[in-house]
Amino acid sequence: MRPRREPEDVPEAIGAAMAPYDYNRHIAPGEPEVETWWDYWQIDGGGCEFPVVPGHEDDPRLIRGTHTLPERRATFRPRCGGPRGRLDLETPRAQAAAEARRAFEAWQAFASGYPPVHPASHFWARHFADPEGYPRIQAVEDYRTQPALVALADLPELEDLVGGDPAARLVGDLGAHMREAADQALTTHALLTLDGRWLAISGPERCRYFNEYLDDLTPDTIVVRVLYHG
């Protein structure tokens, strides 16, 4: 896509941008090969719709997908994109960072009342170093029966908050943990850039790039969520 698109031009622009990555495209002689990623797509957030800057919910430039709810036989039109300047990217990041802080601090406070908790990787390393002397079933049992994890199982709300294997995830630098959570708030599986690069998004560096790329776009650049099968 290019900046300054009108909403009615967006499907055509997306189609042109997506075309080089079509499984079924015709490859002309001499055309450079690229990895192919999709066989059909539609404008749809897939549950990752963009929030809109308060007060601009009715901006006609917002891009809306159409999604049907079979169980209700109803249709709603989620906001799947629009001008970069109308999309509220900061609120989801701030919410994710705040939730990460809550989980981190809750785990640290809870775990401090018990003997040190080892992450699952500690037990798997012992198992892989000596599979016969320290079998898999013993590794799993030793991990699960650590006092803090036994007590955590009796606190479902806290367990839901801190998630699985908190001794592996909720340690280290709180600031870095919050930044990583914020970077993951908006990212999806891939980013298709204005200059036609398809980037798979995985790992902290790519997540950070995804966010920096969005932040650096001009306010009138159209950003759109696309749901694709690939």
Side-chain angles (χ1 to χ4, degrees):
M1 289 183 291
R2 296 290 185 270
R4 303 180 189 280
R5 289 279 183 183
E6 295 300 323
E8 60 269 20
D9 298 331
V10 167
E12 180 182 356
I14 294 176
M18 295 280 284
Y21 303 95
D22 182 355
Y23 279 136
N24 303 309
R25 78 187 190 284
H26 172 71
I27 303 177
E31 180 183 341
E33 292 188 8
V34 297
E35 290 188 74
T36 56
W37 291 98
W38 64 271
D39 53 10
Y40 64 84
W41 61 268
Q42 65 188 53
I43 295 176
D44 191 329
C48 299
E49 290 75 26
F50 286 111
V52 176
V53 174
H56 298 280
E57 292 84 358
D58 296 325
D59 191 317
R61 296 173 298 168
L62 294 175
I63 308 299
R64 296 177 181 271
T66 300
H67 185 72
T68 300
L69 295 173
E71 67 278 12
R72 298 182 183 175
R73 299 184 179 277
T75 298
F76 67 97
R77 292 171 56 77
R79 301 182 186 96
C80 298
R84 163 65 186 86
R86 289 291 186 260
L87 304 180
D88 179 7
L89 307 185
E90 290 306 317
T91 295
R93 292 169 178 160
Q95 291 173 340
E99 186 71 4
R101 174 188 282 275
R102 282 186 61 223
F104 188 99
E105 293 179 342
W107 168 250
Q108 291 293 322
F110 175 78
S112 67
Y114 297 89
V117 186
H118 295 295
S121 59
H122 169 83
F123 301 95
W124 288 120
R126 289 182 56 190
H127 166 66
F128 291 131
D130 183 12
E132 293 185 4
Y134 191 67
R136 182 179 185 277
I137 191 171
Q138 187 65 54
V140 172
E141 182 68 10
D142 287 351
Y143 170 72
R144 291 177 175 173
T145 56
Q146 295 180 94
L149 298 186
V150 172
L152 183 64
D154 292 329
L155 300 170
E157 290 187 6
L158 179 60
E159 190 174 29
D160 287 344
L161 174 63
V162 303
D165 204 6
R169 297 180 300 99
L170 303 180
V171 294
D173 180 66
L174 172 59
H177 183 69
M178 293 174 62
R179 285 192 298 274
E180 185 172 337
D183 286 343
Q184 293 174 351
L186 297 170
T187 54
T188 48
H189 295 297
L191 170 69
L192 182 55
T193 66
L194 291 174
D195 58 1
R197 292 174 296 137
W198 183 293
L199 301 175
I201 304 301
S202 62
E205 290 185 6
R206 281 289 175 92
C207 286
R208 175 60 55 87
Y209 179 82
F210 180 101
N211 285 274
E212 290 177 346
Y213 185 85
L214 290 186
D215 289 343
D216 288 342
L217 295 174
T218 60
D220 59 351
T221 300
I222 300 294
V223 179
V224 184
R225 294 285 202 197
V226 172
L227 185 65
Y228 65 93
H229 178 267

